[in-house]
Amino acid sequence: MAPVPRLPLPTLPPLAQHVVFDLAGKLKLDALHPVRTGVSRFVTNRAGYTTTLRPRPLSMVSDYTSWLSLTDRTYSGRHLPPVSAEENATRPPLDDVLQLFRRQGEMTRSTDTSVLFMFFAQWFTDSFLRTDPYDHRKNDSNHEIDLCQIYGTRIEQTDLLRSRVGGRLKSQLIDGQEYPEFLFEPREPAGTGPLVFKPEFEGLHNAAWITDRILVNAPEVHKDTFFAVGLEHGNSTIGNTTLNVVFIREHNRIAGLLEAEHPAWDDERLFQTTRNIMIVMLLRIVVEEYIVHIAPFDFPLEMVPLIADGERWNRTNWAAVEFNLLYRWHSLVPDTIGTGPDALDATQFKNNNPLVIGEGIEALVTLCSGQPAARIGLRNTPTFLADPGAPGLPSVEQRTLSLMREARLPSYNAYREAYHLDPIESIDELTSDPELRTMLTDLYGDIDHVEWYVGIFAEDYPDYMMMGELVTAMVANDAFTQALSNPLLARHIFDDDATFSPTGRTIIDNTRSIAQIIARNAQDGVPVVASFKIDD
């Protein structure tokens, strides 16, 4: 494999060289806006230039560069060329590799990450890391952060989800609270008979995929409350459902504000302007709260809207197969949510919209914000994600390992070098866990044979980090360069009142956390706590 060319990294801006740390090690930047902007620019560009830039010569379409590999984004991209089929065939059996991931006894808990963060990560990444179930080389997303979770990936889906009144999305009131419309026709009695799409949602999703795959193990009575949202998996967990409810409510709330302020605007302009506002609000949360939580140190990163305009990493978004796989944070998932006799096991936090409706988003968000997620790493994937859930259906982790092997990814050390990190010299240096060292040695023999997807989760990391060094670098590179290249953040678009309206700009400028959006859409008088971080 040809060596990856090294790129010069940006130097630290002069302002950032004088940042003062307090006793807790946190940057004092809130009151120093120029310093905060300078540090944010430095961190973003350092991540952006960590490895080769898009466009990359290869995609999952072939092992050689072609016009398709450079332009056809229906295929997933790739960071590094694949290894040969012969080398791939020498790797250990996938059933043996699976044993490296399966949770051993009680879960190892994270240091400070909440279950709400876990659910947000799933909800967020499901929108652009969408492996085609019929051809794993492909990604059927738009490769953009576009809130397709509530709008769909295609205009035909969006049209089915719109109310066509006041720029709003379709919704219903249940006990006075707003929820999406139900996808299926009512069944009498509930929980009996075939599931049939409502005529207004015909064509929204593949009906067989939802009934035969997503809902295959769901209780019959839970299927009747399946909501009509942008993605097929939008009801698969109580976290997905809750976040979709929150963002649909926020869309309709903002559309109402714009309609009152601009009575001459038609439904189309109200809808499109509201969507612009919603997408940029999400981008801000992703950079200033979500990525900040992932980062090794707590400093208040800022979403610098115009930063991409002058940078070489500002290229058309194209999600890579490595980005798809490195986000398989299955080990974050706890065995149960909550404690005591009321704790929710996996059967209760999957496909359970009745729980969301019955408890309300306020109670569930508060519960998930106070519950620690598990720790990212090997030997910590819960059983229900490691073992098949139904005859003939491979488990989530089995499907992931199959994709890893189909992609013929290079070794863990090959990716360290591609991201300007020193290679690890031995398996003993990779992990301090003696049992894991033995398992890795038995399977791979030498550190240079350890597969990338295995190595990134085997890697030791200190408690102040959320994951290992390599996966942190890779997340930062892809996240920054694919979030901040969003067209809504371009100079001639972001500063245009026609894109957001003055009201929209005010909402964007004053929204900096998921807690604010949730609080705005919670039931009056009902307290709610929303946080990605658990403070011991």
Side-chain angles (χ1 to χ4, degrees):
M1 184 173 65
V4 176
R6 299 296 178 96
L7 296 172
L9 297 179
T11 56
L12 191 65
L15 274 173
Q17 296 175 10
H18 301 289
V19 172
V20 179
F21 286 83
D22 64 17
L23 293 177
K26 297 181 179 180
L27 292 170
K28 294 181 175 180
L29 296 180
D30 285 326
L32 299 171
H33 181 71
V35 175
R36 183 186 183 197
T37 300
V39 171
S40 298
R41 186 177 294 275
F42 166 75
V43 171
T44 299
N45 279 331
R46 185 170 180 85
Y49 291 114
T50 300
T51 189
T52 53
L53 308 179
R54 298 188 303 274
R56 298 187 175 101
L58 299 181
S59 75
M60 291 289 284
V61 70
S62 64
D63 293 359
Y64 52 86
T65 302
S66 66
W67 186 244
L68 288 181
S69 77
L70 296 174
T71 61
D72 188 350
R73 294 195 303 157
T74 62
Y75 291 88
S76 294
R78 64 184 313 146
H79 284 278
L80 292 186
V83 300
S84 68
E86 292 74 19
E87 179 178 343
N88 204 45
T90 65
R91 289 169 163 172
L94 289 182
D95 285 346
D96 294 342
V97 177
L98 180 64
Q99 305 312 313
L100 294 169
F101 290 84
R102 183 175 280 111
R103 182 165 289 162
Q104 306 297 310
E106 292 188 11
M107 77 172 194
T108 303
R109 60 157 287 179
S110 68
T111 305
D112 66 352
T113 299
S114 74
V115 167
L116 183 65
F117 175 92
M118 175 202 78
F119 278 135
F120 184 91
Q122 178 197 29
W123 173 83
F124 171 56
T125 58
D126 275 357
S127 69
F128 54 87
L129 301 177
R130 292 175 46 79
T131 304
D132 187 319
Y134 304 107
D135 186 344
H136 295 168
R137 298 173 302 163
K138 294 188 172 184
N139 181 343
D140 64 5
S141 80
N142 297 316
H143 300 271
E144 297 285 354
I145 297 172
D146 59 0
L147 258 178
C148 61
Q149 299 97 314
I150 62 173
Y151 301 122
T153 60
R154 307 184 313 276
I155 190 170
E156 295 84 1
Q157 292 174 304
T158 308
D159 288 343
L160 294 175
L161 293 166
R162 291 174 59 177
S163 72
R164 296 295 178 178
V165 176
R168 293 167 174 80
L169 292 165
K170 290 177 180 176
S171 66
Q172 62 177 319
L173 292 180
I174 302 176
D175 296 330
Q177 298 301 299
E178 187 177 25
Y179 293 91
E181 292 277 6
F182 293 134
L183 179 64
F184 300 118
E185 291 275 26
R187 296 190 291 178
E188 295 295 341
T192 61
L195 292 169
V196 178
F197 276 29
K198 290 181 178 179
E200 65 186 290
F201 296 122
E202 193 64 43
L204 180 63
H205 301 303
N206 182 320
W209 185 258
I210 289 178
T211 56
D212 299 344
R213 297 295 293 268
I214 296 174
L215 291 175
V216 63
N217 290 322
E220 280 296 323
V221 293
H222 289 189
K223 298 176 182 179
D224 293 291
T225 53
F226 198 94
F227 291 131
V229 293
L231 301 180
E232 305 91 330
H233 292 86
N235 298 257
S236 60
T237 67
I238 58 173
N240 267 355
T241 294
T242 296
L243 287 163
N244 281 329
V245 169
V246 167
F247 276 79
I248 286 171
R249 288 180 183 180
E250 180 71 351
H251 174 100
N252 287 346
R253 186 190 75 85
I254 292 174
L257 294 175
L258 295 182
E259 184 180 33
E261 184 172 290
H262 303 280
W265 284 11
D266 61 10
D267 168 76
E268 184 69 16
R269 183 166 185 181
L270 289 168
F271 175 81
Q272 299 297 349
T273 304
T274 300
R275 185 175 185 175
N276 292 344
I277 297 164
M278 292 288 294
I279 291 171
V280 175
M281 276 202 311
L282 176 59
L283 289 166
R284 168 152 271 162
I285 290 167
V286 167
V287 173
E288 298 188 1
E289 187 172 24
Y290 177 77
I291 293 178
V292 163
H293 183 76
I294 294 171
F297 302 103
D298 289 334
F299 57 88
L301 273 181
E302 175 184 30
M303 182 189 76
V304 184
L306 315 179
I307 186 174
D309 283 6
E311 299 300 335
R312 290 180 295 115
W313 52 255
N314 183 20
R315 297 284 186 157
T316 301
N317 279 352
W318 195 331
V321 65
E322 292 95 340
F323 196 32
N324 187 325
L325 287 168
L326 68 81
Y327 251 121
R328 307 297 177 100
W329 295 344
H330 305 145
S331 52
L332 269 181
V333 181
D335 293 313
T336 60
I337 298 174
T339 57
D342 296 326
L344 306 173
D345 63 24
T347 64
Q348 295 168 297
F349 58 76
K350 291 168 57 184
N351 297 313
N352 195 353
N353 287 355
L355 180 69
V356 178
I357 296 168
E359 295 293 328
I361 65 167
E362 301 83 5
L364 290 179
V365 167
T366 300
L367 171 66
C368 293
S369 297
Q371 171 79 22
R375 192 174 193 268
I376 289 178
L378 294 182
R379 295 162 60 83
N380 208 25
T381 296
T383 300
F384 77 92
L385 293 177
D387 294 341
L393 289 180
S395 71
V396 170
E397 198 69 80
Q398 286 174 319
R399 294 199 300 270
T400 300
L401 293 175
S402 294
L403 177 57
M404 168 197 79
R405 198 58 64 79
E406 287 176 33
R408 292 188 280 128
L409 301 176
S411 69
Y412 164 77
N413 261 342
Y415 282 94
R416 286 190 65 89
E417 293 183 23
Y419 280 79
H420 301 90
L421 300 173
D422 293 333
I424 296 293
E425 298 296 331
S426 68
I427 289 175
D428 286 354
E429 187 181 345
L430 179 66
T431 174
S432 59
D433 182 330
E435 291 186 29
L436 186 54
R437 284 175 173 176
T438 299
M439 295 174 71
L440 289 168
T441 301
D442 290 344
L443 285 177
Y444 294 103
D446 184 84
I447 184 63
D448 287 328
H449 297 152
V450 173
E451 294 174 88
W452 166 78
Y453 181 73
V454 172
I456 58 174
F457 294 119
E459 195 174 67
D460 276 350
Y461 57 91
D463 285 345
Y464 63 81
M465 293 181 69
M466 187 181 163
M467 60 195 78
E469 180 182 36
L470 175 56
V471 72
T472 298
M474 297 183 75
V475 168
N477 173 263
D478 278 318
F480 280 126
T481 63
Q482 299 195 60
L484 297 177
S485 57
N486 191 287
L488 288 168
L489 302 184
R491 185 175 306 276
H492 60 289
I493 295 173
F494 188 82
D495 284 347
D496 188 351
D497 284 343
T499 306
F500 308 110
S501 79
T503 295
R505 279 300 303 271
T506 299
I507 294 171
I508 290 168
D509 292 344
N510 292 328
T511 303
R512 296 182 178 274
S513 71
I514 189 68
Q516 290 174 286
I517 297 178
I518 292 172
R520 291 199 291 253
N521 294 282
Q523 189 173 355
D524 289 343
V526 178
V528 57
V529 175
S531 177
F532 292 157
K533 183 180 179 66
I534 294 220
D535 289 318
D536 292 334

